[in-house]
């Protein structure tokens, strides 16, 4: 377990050191946010069922796409007592949106309410345009 955590940390550090690619005006850009307490990691996993090499963002062509993200978060007092430490959750959430527009920026927020994760996709006007349609938690 310790080796796995070290590899994950090294991968995250290496990923943070590479610069973000330039924004392509012919594509839509999706940023990430975890505004609720306990949110640890929100990372792109798959775009239209294809695994991604860089999990820090989505950059998609206009039109319809399915986004799959990994969302890690902590549930405080999750052991049944407020005296216990936080319980970590690892979940995968799928969001589908049919109207991505070229040159537009979107924001995907991962949120949690106790043990229940959710995701919302916002457009540049901060309007909700899509919500998760599938949630799979491993822990």
């Amino acid at each position: 377990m310790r080796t796995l955590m070290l590899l994950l940390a090294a991968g995250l550090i290496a990923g943070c050191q590479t610069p973000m690619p330039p924004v392509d005006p012919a594509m839509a850009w999706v940023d990430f946010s975890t505004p609720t307490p306990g949110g640890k990691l929100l990372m792109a996993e798959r775009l239209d069922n294809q695994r991604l090499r860089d999990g820090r963002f989505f950059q998609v062509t206009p039109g319809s796409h399915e986004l799959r993200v990994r969302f890690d978060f902590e549930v405080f007092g999750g052991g049944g007592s407020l005296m216990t430490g936080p319980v970590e959750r690892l979940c995968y959430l799928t969001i589908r949106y049919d109207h991505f527009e070229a040159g537009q920026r979107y924001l995907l927020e991962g949120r949690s309410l106790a043990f229940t994760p959710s995701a919302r996709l916002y457009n540049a006007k901060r309007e909700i345009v899509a919500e998760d349609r599938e949630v799979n938690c491993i822990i």
Side-chain angles (χ1 to χ4, degrees):
M1 182 69 170
R2 178 176 274 180
T3 304
L4 177 62
M5 293 304 286
L6 286 173
L7 286 174
L8 180 60
L12 287 173
I13 290 169
C16 292
Q17 292 177 347
T18 56
M20 294 289 269
V23 175
D24 184 341
M27 300 180 76
W29 184 279
V30 181
D31 288 307
F32 302 129
S33 174
T34 56
T36 54
K40 293 175 69 176
L41 174 73
L42 186 62
M43 190 165 96
E45 278 287 318
R46 294 182 176 274
L47 173 62
D48 299 325
N49 212 25
Q50 298 294 314
R51 193 168 215 15
L52 298 173
R53 291 177 50 204
D54 191 339
R56 297 175 292 170
F57 65 95
F58 286 107
Q59 188 164 254
V60 301
T61 58
S64 180
H65 293 284
E66 183 176 273
L67 314 175
R68 185 173 176 99
V69 294
R70 173 184 171 162
F71 181 36
D72 294 12
F73 62 98
E74 292 179 329
V75 179
F76 300 99
S81 166
L82 293 176
M83 299 305 283
T84 61
V87 174
E88 292 192 22
R89 301 271 294 167
L90 183 149
C91 300
Y92 293 92
L93 298 95
T94 303
I95 300 95
R96 180 164 193 83
Y97 183 54
D98 294 329
H99 306 289
F100 282 104
E101 296 178 32
Q104 296 298 307
R105 287 191 87 117
Y106 297 85
L107 178 67
L108 182 63
E109 282 189 353
R111 297 173 169 264
S112 62
L113 180 60
F115 282 91
T116 307
S118 65
R120 291 180 175 167
L121 181 67
Y122 294 90
N123 64 15
K125 297 176 188 172
R126 193 73 177 145
E127 301 167 327
I128 299 171
V129 295
E131 295 187 75
D132 60 86
R133 63 179 188 85
E134 183 179 327
V135 175
N136 296 308
C137 293
I138 297 173
I139 18 182

